[in-house]
Structure formats: structure tokens, C-alpha cells
Amino acid sequence: MASEVTRLNYKRRRPYPPVRPKYRNPKNPAETWSGRGRQPRWLRPQLRSGRDLDDFLIDQASAQKRQTN
């Protein structure tokens, strides 16, 4: 009985659209990251070495536009 009640009250999560990748590993273009969640292993050491997150943007033109505005 209790399992039936919880099943009826269960609220389904709303479906989220797939998130497109925002950043790409220049050494291995197959490795991408959406910018959500934990930073990937390929990105952390490069950021520690002094590179900027904007260096890894997939669309470099949009990053340049943001810098000029």
C-alpha cells in the first residue's frame, strides 16, 4: 500500500535539452566540455599553467566579439 502511494506522488523530473559543448581540448578535439559540472582532467592542468578558459572556447569568434565590446 505504501509503495503505491509513493508511486502516485512521485514527481517526474522535467526533461532537459541536451547541452552543447562549449570548450574543446586543442590537443584532442574529440574531448569537449559543456561548462557544466566538474572540469575535465584535460582542462585543469592547462588552467593551472596560466592559460585562460576563453582559450578553449569552441567558437573563438564570439570570444573576440565579447572582448571588443
Side-chain angles (χ1 to χ4, degrees):
M1 177 79 178
S3 63
E4 292 176 28
V5 172
T6 56
R7 212 177 317 145
L8 294 175
N9 291 334
Y10 176 71
K11 190 173 184 180
R12 295 187 64 173
R13 285 181 55 182
R14 82 178 171 101
Y16 289 97
V19 180
R20 303 187 98 185
K22 192 173 178 184
Y23 303 98
R24 174 169 288 146
N25 184 355
K27 294 179 182 174
N28 183 359
E31 294 179 332
T32 59
W33 180 48
S34 66
R36 295 184 179 184
R38 294 177 61 183
Q39 287 180 344
R41 279 191 240 170
W42 58 264
L43 183 61
R44 278 184 251 140
Q46 294 185 30
L47 292 175
R48 274 189 237 124
S49 69
R51 293 188 68 181
D52 193 21
L53 190 59
D54 289 339
D55 296 340
F56 303 98
L57 280 172
I58 290 176
D59 187 11
Q60 289 291 337
S62 66
Q64 291 172 353
K65 286 180 188 176
R66 272 190 266 127
Q67 289 176 354
T68 58
N69 290 336

